[in-house]
Amino acid sequence: MLGDLDAAHAAFRQALHQAAGDREVLTTAYRGLARTYLVRGEPDKAIRELKKALAEDPGDLEAATTLGEMLLAEPGTRDEIALVTLERVDRQDEGRLEAAALTVLGRLQAHAGRPDDARRTLERARALPSLVSPQRTEALLALAEIAVARADLAAGHALLLEALAVAPADPRPHLRLAELHQATQNPTAALAAYDRALALAESSSVLSAALHVAIAIGDTERSVRLARRLIVLAPGAPIAEVALALADPDARTAVARLASRHPDALDVQLEAARVEFAAGSFAT
């Protein structure tokens, strides 16, 4: 396989040298080089070649869509070349963008801080029968995020349930539901959603989020279970140590001792303050 990839890479390079200014050949070769870099796990080089393809053909939808997906995967990226290209093509011919390209465009608009434009574009994509997973899942998650941001929690909830129906093995809808339940002061439902997400893909960040909820509602048994799982993935995680200290028969002393060892750990200091307050130490 690697030999075939190397041969393809060399062929695309040769095409560049022989293109003699033919923009169609150059665009195709740059796209091909981008694909080889993607397979090799070199996204930065793939992005570079896709930008070259767009420089040769500003209307290349394949290059713009792939580039948009890659830029979305890089948090904090503000390069707008894919967004500009897809919007220009969409303005010129509204029916030209296929479902996948529309989804990328909508997500790029949301990423650029334009939720109203993003919602309209994503709803257009959602209405197309050709929009299938994983693009449909991405569109639904983005629409749910927009709905929650404008405080339409019911719409956000419905969109997340739709995303679950489309991609039941994707943990992200469960995570978004957990966050939504927390926002609506429903910690029991939030923990159930975190459990479902963890059953699909265990991670220290999700364990930590679930652990915070379990501690907040005083579910000591669940807190200890989550803490022990978290310590396996993140030894010494302060919030896990807090949970175990709270389960100690002398929780007040255990938490105070922990706080003295971790003076800069916010989770630990906040819990120590809460325990002391509950014990009446701040009474006047």
Side-chain angles (χ1 to χ4, degrees), residues 207-230:
L207 283 167
S208 179
L211 184 51
H212 276 88
V213 178
I215 289 173
I217 64 173
D219 189 337
T220 303
E221 183 179 346
R222 186 192 292 260
S223 295
V224 169
R225 289 201 308 270
L226 289 168
R228 287 173 176 163
R229 291 163 67 184
L230 178 57

Side-chain angles (χ1 to χ4, degrees), residues 86-98 102 105 120 124 128:
L86 291 172
E87 284 192 322
R88 182 176 59 246
V89 172
D90 195 39
R91 282 195 304 271
Q92 293 170 348
D93 182 358
E94 187 170 299
R96 187 178 168 195
L97 293 190
E98 296 180 353
L102 272 177
L105 173 55
R120 286 190 290 269
R124 285 170 54 200
L128 295 175

Side-chain angles (χ1 to χ4, degrees), residues 44-109:
D44 291 344
K45 292 181 179 179
I47 288 173
R48 181 191 66 200
E49 300 303 326
L50 289 168
K51 287 181 178 179
K52 290 179 183 177
L54 286 172
E56 296 297 334
D57 181 2
D60 189 330
L61 284 181
E62 181 182 341
T65 302
T66 304
L67 178 60
E69 290 176 331
M70 296 187 69
L71 294 175
L72 285 165
E74 299 291 331
T77 300
R78 287 288 178 255
D79 194 317
E80 294 189 349
I81 184 172
L83 172 61
V84 169
T85 299
L86 291 172
E87 284 192 322
R88 182 176 59 246
V89 172
D90 195 39
R91 282 195 304 271
Q92 293 170 348
D93 182 358
E94 187 170 299
R96 187 178 168 195
L97 293 190
E98 296 180 353
L102 272 177
T103 300
V104 171
L105 173 55
R107 293 173 62 209
L108 286 168
Q109 289 169 330

Side-chain angles (χ1 to χ4, degrees), residues 130-235:
S130 58
L131 184 65
V132 295
S133 286
Q135 291 89 352
R136 182 167 289 275
T137 305
E138 298 295 347
L140 291 167
L141 289 174
L143 282 167
E145 185 174 347
I146 293 168
V148 171
R150 67 173 190 264
D152 191 347
L153 301 187
H157 186 263
L159 287 160
L160 289 172
L161 291 179
E162 186 177 341
L164 275 178
V166 171
D170 190 328
R172 293 176 301 166
H174 295 291
L175 291 176
R176 303 295 183 272
L177 281 169
E179 293 164 359
L180 187 59
H181 289 312
Q182 283 184 257
T184 56
Q185 304 300 309
N186 190 345
T188 301
L191 281 171
Y194 278 129
D195 282 344
R196 291 191 294 272
L198 287 166
L200 293 169
E202 187 152 308
S203 72
S204 58
S205 61
V206 179
L207 283 167
S208 179
L211 184 51
H212 276 88
V213 178
I215 289 173
I217 64 173
D219 189 337
T220 303
E221 183 179 346
R222 186 192 292 260
S223 295
V224 169
R225 289 201 308 270
L226 289 168
R228 287 173 176 163
R229 291 163 67 184
L230 178 57
I231 286 172
V232 172
L233 297 180

